[in-house]
Amino acid sequence: MSARTAAPSVKRSIESSKKPLGSVPTLTAVDQVDTSFLETLLGYNARRAALTIIEVFLERMAKFGLRPVDFSVMSVIEHNPGVTSRQLCAALNLLPPNLVGLIQSLEARGLIHRRPHPTDGRAMGLHPTPEGSALMQQAEQAATDLEIECSSRLTAAQRKTLLDLLQKIYL
Amino acid sequence: MSARTAAPSVKRSIESSKKPLGSVPTLTAVDQVDTSFLETLLGYNARRAALTIIEVFLERMAKFGLRPVDFSVMSVIEHNPGVTSRQLCAALNLLPPNLVGLIQSLEARGLIHRRPHPTDGRAMGLHPTPEGSALMQQAEQAATDLEIECSSRLTAAQRKTLLDLLQKIYL
DNA sequence: TATTGTTATACTCTATAACTATA
DNA sequence: TATAGTTATAGAGTATAACAATA
C-alpha cells in the first residue's frame, strides 16, 4: 500500500515528502489515484460491484421492460403466487409507498393480477398472469446469463463462495 | 387458521406442467416468502449487502457529517493530495456535475481547499486542510470499526476473500 | 479539436406523514 | 389498538446537454 506519501509524477515546489504542519501548501500533481484504503471496506466494494452488475442488468433487461426492483418483485411473485405487498416489502426491504406504483404498473401491463386474500380482508394476493410467467421465464434466464458473464473472472466455486459470504452480511 | 397452504415455503420449481391453464384462479396464501432464486444472483446479493452496510454507515457517520460519497471523496483527497475533480470522477465512478456541489460543500466546511494545478491551468488540485485530515483520521477509523461489526459473522480470512472476490467483479 | 470544470435541469429512487378499511 | 394498502410529497441520488476557459 502506497497510502501515505503521495507519488507525484510532476513535482513543482516540493522539498521533502514529509509534511511539515506549518509549511506553505505544496502544489502537487497526482499521477495515479490511490484508492487502497477504500478497497479495504466491504461497503465500498459491495456497492461498486453491485453497480457494475446493475449497469449490465439495465441494458439486458431493457427489452423486458424490467428494472432491478421490477425484476425482483416479479420474481418473488412468480415463485410465491398469492404473496402480499407487505410480504414483498419485508422480503425485499422495500417501503410500502414505493411499491404501490410499481404493482399498478405491472398489473396495467398484464404481468400480474391482484385477487382477494383468502383470510385477510385487508390484503390482496399478487399472482403472475400467464404472460407474466412467460416473461419471467425469459428474464430469469437472461439474468442468470448476464451474472455469469459479469463474474467471468471467478470460478464456479468462487462465485458460490461470494454468494455465501454476501448473504452472511445481510441475511 | 384454515387456509389452504398451497405455497410451501421451501419448494421446488413446479409450476409449468402442473398448472391447468383454464382453471379458476386459486386463492392461495403464502406463509413464508421464498427468495431462493434471487439469492443465486450476485447483483441482488451485492446490492442487499451494500445497503445493509450503508445503513449502519449513515448512522455512525452522521456525527462527521459525511455521507458515503462524501466519505469516499474525502478519503481519496486525503490519500492523494492534489487530486483533480476529473481524477476523482474516474476513480469513484462519479459524474462531474454531481461532484461540483459536493466539492463546494466540503470546501465551505473547511475540510478541503482548492489550489491551482501545477501544470494544467484548467484543473484545480484538491487538498485536505488540517481540519479535514483530522476529521478523516477519525472517520476512517470509525468506518473500519463498523465494517468489522457488519462482518462479524465472517472470519478475517473470509472477509479478505470477500473483498478480493468483489474486486474481481468491478476492477 | 479535446478536455476541465461548471450550470441548469430532469429524472429516478428513496423516505416520511397521514389517511381508509379491515383485523 | 394494530396492520395492509394507499396517497401525497419531499428529499437524495443520478443523468444529459451545453457553455467558458484552457490544452
Side-chain angles (χ1 to χ4, degrees):
Chain A
M1 13 188 164
S2 55
R4 195 46 270 172
T5 58
S9 65
V10 184
K11 289 185 171 186
R12 270 302 137 94
S13 50
I14 272 198
E15 300 90 52
S16 68
S17 57
K18 47 183 176 204
K19 209 189 320 183
L21 279 180
S23 70
V24 174
T26 53
L27 299 182
T28 60
V30 174
D31 56 345
Q32 190 151 354
V33 180
D34 171 21
T35 55
S36 57
F37 174 77
L38 290 176
E39 283 161 17
T40 69
L41 299 179
L42 281 179
Y44 175 78
N45 286 277
R47 182 161 189 272
R48 290 297 302 267
L51 290 175
T52 297
I53 297 175
I54 288 173
E55 189 176 356
V56 179
F57 188 99
L58 290 172
E59 299 167 3
R60 304 286 185 87
M61 292 298 176
K63 66 173 176 179
F64 300 116
L66 296 174
R67 294 158 301 173
V69 185
D70 303 316
F71 176 86
S72 297
V73 167
M74 277 301 297
S75 177
V76 172
I77 294 174
E78 172 69 17
H79 295 289
N80 303 268
V83 69
T84 68
S85 290
R86 198 71 182 82
Q87 288 177 310
L88 270 175
C89 287
L92 299 176
N93 199 29
L94 303 174
L95 292 172
N98 299 330
L99 194 58
V100 175
L102 211 154
I103 294 294
Q104 289 174 343
S105 170
L106 294 174
E107 189 177 30
R109 290 171 60 188
L111 299 179
I112 63 172
H113 50 210
R114 308 191 305 163
R115 304 201 162 272
H117 190 278
T119 61
D120 191 334
R122 300 167 300 181
M124 296 291 286
L126 304 173
H127 299 257
T129 62
E131 291 77 15
S133 287
L135 183 78
M136 284 311 292
Q137 199 162 345
Q138 290 186 286
E140 289 189 345
Q141 182 61 55
T144 300
D145 291 347
L146 78 87
E147 290 265 329
I148 298 295
E149 289 183 36
C150 287
S151 57
S152 61
R153 294 175 57 200
L154 271 56
T155 67
Q158 284 177 319
R159 192 174 179 284
K160 180 67 169 61
T161 298
L162 180 50
L163 290 175
D164 290 341
L165 294 177
L166 286 172
Q167 283 164 22
K168 281 184 183 256
I169 302 293
Y170 79 91
L171 276 187
Chain B
M1 290 301 185
S2 61
R4 295 181 304 165
T5 56
S9 59
V10 181
K11 62 176 183 182
R12 299 286 161 266
S13 49
I14 32 175
E15 282 77 28
S16 31
S17 61
K18 290 294 240 179
K19 203 192 297 178
L21 280 179
S23 68
V24 175
T26 54
L27 299 182
T28 61
V30 174
D31 55 346
Q32 190 151 356
V33 179
D34 171 22
T35 56
S36 56
F37 174 77
L38 290 176
E39 284 162 15
T40 67
L41 299 179
L42 281 178
Y44 175 79
N45 285 278
R47 182 161 188 272
R48 290 297 302 268
L51 290 175
T52 297
I53 297 175
I54 288 172
E55 189 175 354
V56 180
F57 188 98
L58 289 172
E59 298 167 4
R60 303 286 185 87
M61 293 298 174
K63 67 173 174 178
F64 300 115
L66 296 174
R67 295 159 302 173
V69 184
D70 302 317
F71 176 86
S72 298
V73 167
M74 278 301 297
S75 177
V76 171
I77 294 174
E78 172 69 17
H79 295 289
N80 303 267
V83 69
T84 68
S85 291
R86 191 52 92 161
Q87 288 177 310
L88 270 175
C89 288
L92 299 177
N93 199 28
L94 303 175
L95 292 172
N98 299 330
L99 194 58
V100 175
L102 210 154
I103 294 295
Q104 289 174 344
S105 170
L106 294 174
E107 190 177 30
R109 292 172 59 188
L111 300 179
I112 63 172
H113 51 208
R114 308 192 306 163
R115 302 202 163 271
H117 190 277
T119 60
D120 191 335
R122 300 167 300 181
M124 296 291 287
L126 304 174
H127 300 257
T129 62
E131 292 77 15
S133 288
L135 183 78
M136 283 312 293
Q137 199 163 344
Q138 290 187 286
E140 288 189 347
Q141 183 60 55
T144 299
D145 291 346
L146 78 87
E147 290 264 330
I148 298 295
E149 289 184 35
C150 288
S151 58
S152 62
R153 296 176 56 202
L154 271 56
T155 67
Q158 285 177 319
R159 192 173 179 284
K160 181 67 169 64
T161 298
L162 179 49
L163 290 176
D164 290 341
L165 294 177
L166 286 172
Q167 283 164 21
K168 281 182 183 265
I169 302 291
Y170 79 89
L171 277 186

